[in-house]
């Protein structure tokens, strides 16, 4: 066994084997995989192994497309062919029009990745799958490339190719410990000796937290028992003359695929069970949980109704094994938060089907620092400290019970809530607030007009439309107050702070005391990494503010680039302070009534910051706006947040102050052309492509990504960011929808919604540069319908920023 290598991958299932293989494909061949038993002896061996192209985001579609292409290539390898039933086709069923509209949206998302889905009616579903009934069925989504694969053969084929490229695989080699050294390298301790390496990858399936504990971290991954059975042969299948398509049924919570001349039928029952919460038997290898078909009888009855042939066939065998889930159901693939040279590829509940793509994207991150797609949807850093095992288990149960039911826009499911709150959460609830969640924080979406108000989640405009319109009108004409909790906030101090920050961002940084500036950080490829507001509180203190979801992401990036001489210190205040936003033309009057000092336009202009008091509460106040109105961000310590709130509410009564929420903010920022991190700002595009030209100063001596950006610009722009006005009023576009020119997909929507102040249906997105001129007529797919759209000037509302500067 080697004593030194570049990367050690721990775990020999699909996650580990795929990562090892793809590392060699990226040119790193001095790599090792260690497995405590035999390859595929964990969850992988009993996987139902379905290989779908369906994904709710373009990143997921892209990585699944890679898996399908790779698996087809492996299956056709004459030296080591494997069993892969490619392109049997698959149907996701629906019995409501809302579900069908969701499928039309997802078909548009896939189109942008070169994948063609088909939305079909009930009769066509039955024609393609003759075993199903059309009772209580509207239609479905057809995936022509759906199929299934042999799990063990797949992993062995990946391991074989990795070995041929120079990688090594050590079976029956349990890891006993991990030690990280001062230079951030690692020693992997095993029962057969130590291996020194630069990088460690945790690919340990349901044993993820056993290895996590060895490096002092806990991963938000929980396991669920999952059952399927194999039937005896079915005559209709034997006589069909073709393989039955795969079936996924949100109506009755089951799936099935052909297995020989019978069916494999799997269940997502409501009476489901977590597994391994109190530890896992070390001898649980190639093992299963006890059968428990009584638990799935309600689901089985639905399956019988949809597929009557199941009532007349025997059960050949039952499989009940653990599968892993995360808090939001998507895997954790990427850097481990708070650790250097440590990565994970875990929580792969659909591991076999998409594991090829996950390993591909992870290998790119390890070798190149970024992948070809923005990987935030699977990034481990999208969860922070609230992501404990209890919360993960609750969300895993909820996701399991809703396996084939996608999330609708603005739908925030109830399990595990509230996870993060402020002293104002119950106060706002009493005011009628409807909450959504951002990185676990309970954040106000809108204020319900009546206590019994209920929203119908839909891809169309719904009951919240007039509610949000009223909130915005109140802000536009008077003054509104909102809590924006969880915003990322780092305190940066030290004599070298400004000079260091100047190397981190691509534009100018504010250097005068009391000034605020918006800045962008690039990665080493010259593409957008982060967006940050920098505020000079005084000569010694800078505040770095960014999106609530970016807490671990931005901290890791900044810490990785801190000067080695200790001239800069970094401290997180994210969980200690909360923002109250005061917005509207009367906001200065309210602020002046609760805080001593001169708040006039001359004394405190736009992009200023000052320490002050709001009533008796200490605060940091910034004159910045995400709404396009005169506005102030009032940052208050959480222990005095309620005091500041009471003072603002009391003074606000004199000026007609109202409350507003995140939906109103989203509408207003679209009218101003303001970006949303990880929707409109992603690592696939540079700042010029992203429409951030004014924030880039190439005359600076140097900054991270400068050389790469200059090289990109010399080769021309591959995309441009635009704002579009849509000629429809029944529904907004949604992130991932396709932008069309003459029927051809030429771009993708990143965010969208109704602009209430300008009276237009707005959308933002990236498209081919030749279509980016203002006035260009295009089309955008809105829940399956191509509607007319026009490229318009960004920032349609108050383009001269007169209201912000008032």
């Amino acid at each position: 066994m080697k004593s030194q290598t570049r990367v050690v991958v721990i775990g020999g299932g699909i996650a580990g084997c795929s990562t090892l293989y793809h590392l060699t494909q990226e040119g790193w061949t001095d790599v090792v995989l260690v497995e405590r038993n035999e390859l595929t002896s964990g969850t992988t061996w009993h996987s139902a192994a379905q290989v779908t192209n369906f994904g709710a985001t373009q990143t997921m579609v892209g990585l699944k497309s890679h898996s399908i292409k790779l698996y087809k290539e492996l299956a056709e390898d004459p030296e080591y062919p494997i069993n892969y039933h490619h392109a049997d086709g698959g149907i996701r069923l629906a019995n409501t029009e809302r579900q069908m509209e969701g499928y039309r949206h997802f078909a548009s998302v896939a189109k942008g990745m070169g994948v063609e889905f088909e939305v079909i009616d009930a009769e066509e579903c039955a024609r393609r799958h003759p075993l199903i009934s059309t009772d209580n069925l509207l239609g479905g989504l057809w995936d022509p490339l759906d199929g299934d694969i042999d799990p063990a053969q797949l992993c062995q084929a990946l391991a074989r190719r990795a070995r041929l490229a120079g990688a090594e695989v050590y079976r029956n080699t349990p890891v006993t410990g991990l030690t990280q050294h001062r230079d951030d390298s690692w020693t992997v301790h095993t029962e057969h000796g130590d291996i020194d390496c630069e990088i460690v990858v945790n690919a340990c399936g349901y044993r993820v937290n056993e290895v996590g504990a060895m490096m002092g971290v806990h991963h938000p991954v929980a396991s669920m028992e999952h059952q399927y059975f194999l039937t005896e042969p079915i005559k209709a299948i034997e006589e069909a003359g073709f393989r039955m398509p795969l079936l996924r049924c949100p109506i009755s919570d089951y799936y099935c695929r052909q297995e020989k001349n019978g069916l494999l039928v799997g269940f997502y029952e409501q009476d489901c069970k977590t597994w391994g919460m109190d530890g896992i038997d070390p001898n649980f290898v190639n093992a299963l949980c006890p059968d428990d078909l009584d638990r799935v009888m309600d689901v089985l009855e639905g399956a019988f109704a949809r597929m009557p042939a199941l009532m007349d066939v025997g059960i050949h065998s039952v499989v009940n094994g653990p599968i892993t889930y995360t808090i939001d159901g998507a895997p954790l693939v990427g850097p481990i938060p708070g650790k250097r040279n440590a990565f994970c590829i875990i929580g792969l509940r659909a591991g076999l089907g998409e594991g090829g793509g996950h390993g591909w994207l992870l290998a790119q991150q390890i070798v190149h620092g970024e992948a070809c797609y923005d990987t935030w949807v699977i990034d481990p850093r999208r969860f922070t400290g609230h992501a404990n095992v209890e919360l993960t288990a609750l969300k895993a149960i909820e996701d399991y019970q809703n396996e084939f039911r996608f999330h609708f826009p603005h739908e925030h499911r109830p399990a595990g809530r509230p996870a993060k709150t402020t002293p104002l959460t119950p106060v706002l609830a009493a005011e009628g607030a409807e909450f959504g969640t951002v990185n676990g924080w309970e954040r106000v979406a809108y204020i319900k007009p009546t206590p019994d108000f209920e929203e119908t989640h839909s891809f169309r405009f719904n009951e919240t439309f007039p509610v949000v319109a009223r909130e915005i009108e109140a802000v536009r004409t008077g003054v509104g107050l909102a809590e924006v909790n969880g915003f990322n906030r780092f305190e940066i101090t030290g004599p070298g702070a400004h000079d260091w920050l100047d190397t981190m961002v691509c534009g100018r940084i504010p250097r005068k005391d009391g000034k605020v500036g918006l800045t962008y950080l690039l990665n080493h490829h010259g593409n957008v990494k982060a967006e940050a507001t920098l505020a000079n509180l005084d000569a010694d203190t800078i505040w770095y503010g960014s999106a609530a979801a970016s807490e671990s992401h931005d901290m890791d990036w900044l810490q990785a680039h801190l000067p080695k001489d200790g001239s800069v210190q970094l401290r997180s205040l994210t969980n200690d302070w909360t923002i109250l936003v005061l917005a509207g033309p009367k906001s200065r009057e309210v602020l002046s009534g609760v805080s001593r000092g001169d708040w006039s336009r001359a004394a405190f202009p736009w992009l200023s910051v000052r320490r002050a008091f709001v009533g008796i509460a200490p605060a940091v106040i910034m004159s910045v706006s995400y709404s396009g109105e005169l506005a102030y961000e009032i940052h208050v310590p959480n222990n005095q947040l309620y005091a500041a709130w009471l003072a603002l509410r009391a003074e606000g009564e004199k000026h007609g102050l109202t409350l507003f929420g995140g939906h109103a903010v989203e509408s207003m920022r679209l009218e101003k052309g303001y970006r949303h991190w990880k929707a409109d700002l992603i690592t696939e595009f540079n700042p010029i492509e992203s429409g951030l030209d004014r924030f880039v100063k190439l005359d600076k001596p140097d900054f991270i990504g400068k050389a790469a950006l200059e090289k990109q610009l010399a080769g021309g722009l591959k995309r441009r960011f635009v704002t579009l006005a849509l000629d429809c009023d029944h529904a907004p576009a949604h992130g991932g929808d396709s932008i069309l020119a003459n029927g051809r997909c030429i771009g993708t929507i990143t965010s969208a919604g109704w602009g209430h102040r300008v009276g237009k249906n707005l959308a933002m997105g990236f498209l081919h540069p030749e279509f980016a001129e203002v006035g260009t007529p295009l089309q955008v797919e809105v829940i399956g319908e191509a509607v007319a759209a026009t490229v318009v000037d960004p920032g349609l509302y108050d383009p001269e920023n007169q209201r912000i500067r008032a």
Side-chain angles (χ1 to χ4, degrees), residues 53 55 57-68 113 115 357 360-361 373:
N53 221 2
T57 66
Q58 289 194 328
T59 296
M60 295 303 293
V61 173
L63 68 87
K64 291 182 179 188
S65 293
H66 174 83
S67 295
I68 290 171
M113 301 301 289
V115 172
W360 174 54
L361 295 182
Y373 304 139

Side-chain angles (χ1 to χ4, degrees), residues 118-131:
E118 186 180 356
V119 180
I120 58 179
D121 62 22
E123 288 69 28
E124 184 62 17
C125 289
R127 190 188 71 78
R128 299 186 187 190
H129 199 306
L131 295 183

Side-chain angles (χ1 to χ4, degrees), residues 395-433:
K395 298 304 289 185
I397 291 169
E398 183 179 61
D399 271 350
Y400 189 94
Q401 293 170 333
N402 292 277
E403 178 68 27
F404 299 130
R405 300 184 189 94
F406 52 79
H407 281 77
F408 284 92
H410 302 306
E411 179 187 7
H412 299 273
R413 291 174 179 167
R417 295 175 61 186
K420 293 182 183 178
T421 61
T422 74
L424 293 184
T425 305
V427 176
L428 289 161
E431 295 264 17

Side-chain angles (χ1 to χ4, degrees), residues 229-234 237 259 261-265 310 313-317:
F229 64 61
L230 304 172
T231 74
E232 299 289 354
I234 297 174
I237 293 178
E259 179 68 16
N261 284 323
L263 290 174
L264 182 155
V265 186
L310 288 174
V313 66
I315 295 176
H316 177 272
S317 55

Side-chain angles (χ1 to χ4, degrees), residues 7-13 15-17 19 32 34 175 178 186 188 199-219 221 332-336 341-348 362 366 380:
V7 182
V8 173
V9 179
I10 307 172
C17 291
T19 302
V32 161
V34 294
V175 172
L178 295 169
W186 293 86
V188 181
I199 293 168
V200 169
V201 178
N202 186 341
C204 294
Y206 52 68
R207 295 190 184 275
V208 52
N209 278 311
E210 294 178 11
V211 171
M214 296 177 188
M215 63 173 68
V217 299
H218 182 86
H219 299 285
V221 176
L332 304 177
V333 180
I336 295 175
N341 294 346
F343 295 80
C344 60
I345 176 168
I346 54 180
L348 276 62
L362 179 60
I366 292 171

Side-chain angles (χ1 to χ4, degrees), residues 516-527:
V516 179
L518 183 63
T519 61
Y520 291 88
L521 292 77
L522 309 185
N523 59 28
H524 294 289
H525 302 280
N527 290 346

